[in-house]
Amino acid sequence: MLPSLLPFERLPVTIVVLVCYLAAIISTVIVQEWLPEAPHRARNPGLNLDEAWKDLKSIAQVAHPFNSHQNDEVGAYLVKRLKDIKKGKDFVTLDADDSTNAWWYEGASHITYMESRNIVVRFDGSKWNESAILFNAHYDTSSLAPGATDDSVAVVSLLQIAQYLADHRPERSIILLFNNGEEDGLHGSRAFMQYSWNGTISSFVNVEGAGAGGRPNLFRSSSAQITNAFRSASHPHGSSLFSDAFRLGLVRSRTDYDVYTRAGIPGVDYAFYQNRQKYHTMDDTVSSLHDQRPLWAMMENLHDLVQVLARQSDAGISDDTRFVYFDESPLKAWFWQSADLGTGNSTITLAGLRPHLQRVIQEVPSIDYDTVKWVDSSRPGLGVAQFPGVAPRSVPNHPLKHWVDITLERTSPSKVMARISGMDTRSCQLSFEGGYKVSEAWVRGGNARGYESSASEPLKSISLWSRSWNKTWEVDIDLVVPGSSNMTRDVAEVLRGKASCLWSDRADGRIPALDELFVFFPTWATLTALSGGLVEGWKTFSA
């Protein structure tokens, strides 16, 4: 055996460890300090570096905090530039927000009231508009700093992104927020949280300047999807060291990232961090950047990122790591089909966790996403999507209009007898939806006890289940007069409602819409029944 070159003793081991650390630190510094060269020609496809440099010199001449007239001038400059970009683009909406008046508690004993001066631009997606990705930068500065890096480089980079999106309409919606009031306590982003478009945000990219120049860094993330998308950048750069510094309190600056993540929106913090000695000082100037390379580094990477995100159906789809789905533990989506037997129109309902359900729907080729309607759900976080579907064939060889039969007979001024039956089913339902209210209902042939309504509220529906097929139920209905002692007559002249029956058999292609979903559903998702059946056929009635 050859003798050990370095014996396992304290001094040799210490030397080896120090050398390894120095090698890692030196290589890291070299990578961090290196900046890609700016292009020699003025235009890169989709970007105009010379124009961005001109914008930067225009808005970063002097400090322009929120409470300054210079801030008004910068805001007016940005609005003018964005109006020019928007011209002739009907999918672009520009709003210089002067109507959102927000307030919130700072701790338990202080309230902040903020009247917004944010500038918001929305680019409606050509395919997906239910949610949007937010790109955020602030155009105010600290009171002494011209703010070239904090945050004017980000602002002019987003102007270039705006021009690119106007020229290349995204498939999914993207919102650019030029917020005003970040330096005074993240007020711009907090005001945006009470803005009307806020509810559509699925994820965000905060573009910041926590230093002054150098190479921009992806240093905080709560979004795996956007972090992965950054891999497509021409010169991606990210490090957790800065994130750890924030977490440990070594860096005390706050960014808008904190506001959005506290609101439960996943996203990333992308910022300059070098030359921190110039941060929030009069030395944060355009000349302190030395050349165009820091600006180009941010512009180019954001441009590459936008190209990826603009084509993704939902950038927040896999951001919540609490919900991970795969073949052995799939996402559940609840299925229901409802057919109007009078018109033949059929509606499919799918329910599930909304961001994930959106992705499922977009993977089914026959579903036109423009026809999908999202309806309210009583369960927070649960999405309910409805869209047209192929009519069911639950009763083969019979027209839809014959599947359910409903007749009503007025047996007295205050009573109605309903007869309801369904073909090839053992379950039907009567729903009372207008006109007379119903106090009680009895099914003939059943026990009288148990069918009385014990509640003071009018009866809304009655479900009917039989042990035999094709049963005709006869239901006696008492009508309600609100406020009267005997509850015998309402001011309405008719009893209105819906008669429906259920079917659950999907053999032999009886539910083609469901069969198609089974074929195209992703392997990480599965289907289950939403209600007591798979298909509901219904008719309206009045008596």
Side-chain angles (χ1 to χ4, degrees):
M1 179 180 292
L2 292 174
S4 174
L5 295 177
L6 287 174
F8 193 72
E9 297 176 358
R10 178 178 297 179
L11 181 59
V13 170
T14 302
I15 292 173
V16 170
V17 172
L18 287 174
V19 169
C20 291
Y21 269 109
L22 285 172
I25 292 171
I26 291 170
S27 62
T28 301
V29 169
I30 291 173
V31 169
Q32 289 178 344
E33 292 294 338
W34 179 82
L35 280 167
E37 291 296 327
H40 294 295
R41 62 183 186 275
R43 285 193 64 87
N44 188 66
L47 297 174
N48 188 327
L49 179 57
D50 289 344
E51 182 179 58
W53 189 251
K54 178 183 176 183
D55 287 334
L56 181 63
K57 291 194 290 186
S58 295
I59 68 175
Q61 297 180 29
V62 296
H64 43 278
F66 181 88
N67 191 26
S68 70
H69 294 291
Q70 290 78 15
N71 183 273
D72 294 344
E73 295 172 4
V74 171
Y77 181 93
L78 295 175
V79 169
K80 182 178 184 302
R81 285 280 285 112
L82 291 166
K83 283 183 176 178
D84 291 339
I85 291 170
K86 179 187 179 301
K87 282 181 181 177
K89 311 292 183 181
D90 58 2
F91 62 91
V92 182
T93 304
L94 170 63
D95 183 16
D97 180 23
D98 60 359
S99 60
T100 301
N101 301 328
W103 66 274
W104 56 88
Y105 275 94
E106 300 273 5
S109 59
H110 180 75
I111 291 176
T112 296
Y113 170 83
M114 174 70 173
E115 296 184 353
S116 172
R117 288 182 48 81
N118 293 335
I119 302 168
V120 198
V121 193
R122 182 184 177 96
F123 299 83
D124 286 331
S126 60
K127 290 185 178 180
W128 305 295
N129 283 301
E130 290 297 327
S131 62
I133 304 169
L134 175 71
F135 283 77
N136 175 86
H138 66 91
Y139 70 88
D140 64 304
T141 68
S142 66
S143 295
L144 292 177
T149 308
D150 182 24
D151 194 25
S152 298
V153 169
V155 168
V156 302
S157 295
L158 290 192
L159 286 178
Q160 288 297 306
I161 298 303
Q163 185 66 67
Y164 172 79
L165 292 172
D167 295 338
H168 307 83
R169 184 177 182 178
E171 293 183 357
R172 68 161 297 120
S173 295
I174 291 178
I175 293 174
L176 305 184
L177 171 60
F178 301 84
N179 90 58
N180 194 5
E182 190 269 355
E183 297 290 1
D184 300 315
L186 312 180
H187 293 170
S189 56
R190 289 187 173 188
F192 180 75
M193 296 308 296
Q194 299 183 31
Y195 181 68
S196 58
W197 292 351
N198 166 60
T200 68
I201 303 302
S202 63
S203 51
F204 72 91
V205 178
N206 184 48
V207 194
E208 252 290 3
R215 188 178 182 188
N217 175 42
L218 179 64
F219 67 90
R220 284 199 290 182
S221 174
S222 58
S223 169
Q225 190 81 359
I226 295 181
T227 302
N228 290 333
F230 255 105
R231 294 178 179 176
S232 65
S234 300
H235 304 283
H237 177 47
S239 172
S240 63
L241 295 176
F242 216 59
S243 178
D244 292 340
F246 268 88
R247 180 174 53 82
L248 295 172
L250 301 177
V251 177
R252 297 189 179 276
S253 304
R254 294 185 300 161
T255 73
D256 293 319
Y257 176 94
D258 302 312
V259 173
Y260 300 130
T261 53
R262 279 202 303 270
I265 305 172
V268 300
D269 229 345
Y270 183 56
F272 292 102
Y273 62 97
Q274 296 178 23
N275 301 318
R276 193 161 170 80
Q277 71 277 8
K278 298 180 180 179
Y279 174 68
H280 281 186
T281 73
M282 291 183 286
D283 292 327
D284 185 11
T285 62
V286 175
S287 60
S288 70
L289 297 175
H290 303 301
D291 55 38
Q292 296 179 339
R293 288 185 300 163
L295 172 58
W296 177 250
M298 178 164 277
M299 280 174 52
E300 185 181 34
N301 284 340
L302 288 175
H303 173 262
D304 296 340
L305 177 65
V306 164
Q307 284 186 304
V308 174
L309 296 180
R311 297 192 297 269
Q312 291 184 348
S313 60
D314 194 324
I317 194 70
S318 62
D319 289 334
D320 192 341
T321 56
R322 294 172 298 174
F323 299 103
V324 180
Y325 301 106
F326 40 90
D327 294 8
E328 292 79 11
S329 180
L331 165 77
K332 279 187 177 179
W334 286 266
F335 172 89
W336 173 258
Q337 183 168 16
S338 180
D340 182 340
L341 303 181
T343 65
N345 294 331
S346 175
T347 301
I348 306 297
T349 297
L350 288 178
L353 294 170
R354 178 160 177 172
H356 309 272
L357 186 61
Q358 282 179 288
R359 180 178 174 185
V360 168
I361 291 171
Q362 289 156 1
E363 290 192 18
V364 179
S366 65
I367 299 176
D368 181 358
Y369 196 77
D370 291 337
T371 67
V372 175
K373 177 183 178 182
W374 293 90
V375 298
D376 293 336
S377 169
S378 59
R379 289 181 56 188
L382 187 70
V384 179
Q386 294 183 337
F387 50 90
V390 179
R393 302 166 188 161
S394 298
V395 186
N397 305 317
H398 290 273
L400 269 71
K401 63 182 180 180
H402 293 162
W403 290 10
V404 173
D405 184 66
I406 177 70
T407 61
L408 292 100
E409 177 185 349
R410 197 66 167 268
T411 57
S412 77
S414 61
K415 294 183 181 293
V416 172
M417 196 271 285
R419 292 183 178 90
I420 179 173
S421 64
M423 299 180 69
D424 202 22
T425 183
R426 293 193 294 202
S427 178
C428 294
Q429 178 170 293
L430 292 171
S431 302
F432 310 115
E433 299 177 348
Y436 284 107
K437 295 181 175 63
V438 175
S439 62
E440 297 173 348
W442 294 268
V443 178
R444 293 188 180 183
N447 297 331
R449 179 176 294 178
Y451 286 93
E452 296 183 10
S453 173
S454 60
S456 59
E457 294 295 321
L459 190 66
K460 295 294 185 183
S461 61
I462 178 169
S463 295
L464 305 163
W465 295 83
S466 172
R467 65 179 64 89
S468 61
W469 297 94
N470 305 312
K471 180 181 177 66
T472 298
W473 290 273
E474 295 182 337
V475 183
D476 290 309
I477 302 167
D478 279 8
L479 307 180
V480 174
V481 176
S484 70
S485 58
N486 56 8
M487 304 179 76
T488 58
R489 186 172 179 81
D490 194 2
V491 293
E493 297 180 354
V494 295
L495 172 67
R496 294 191 298 272
K498 185 171 78 173
S500 59
C501 295
L502 301 179
W503 291 267
S504 301
D505 191 349
R506 57 175 291 257
D508 304 319
R510 295 190 178 198
I511 314 178
L514 180 59
D515 292 340
E516 183 181 40
L517 289 175
F518 273 111
V519 170
F520 292 106
F521 241 51
T523 59
W524 51 266
T526 189
L527 285 161
T528 187
L530 179 64
S531 187
L534 294 171
V535 171
E536 172 201 47
W538 58 273
K539 294 178 176 179
T540 58
F541 64 77
S542 62

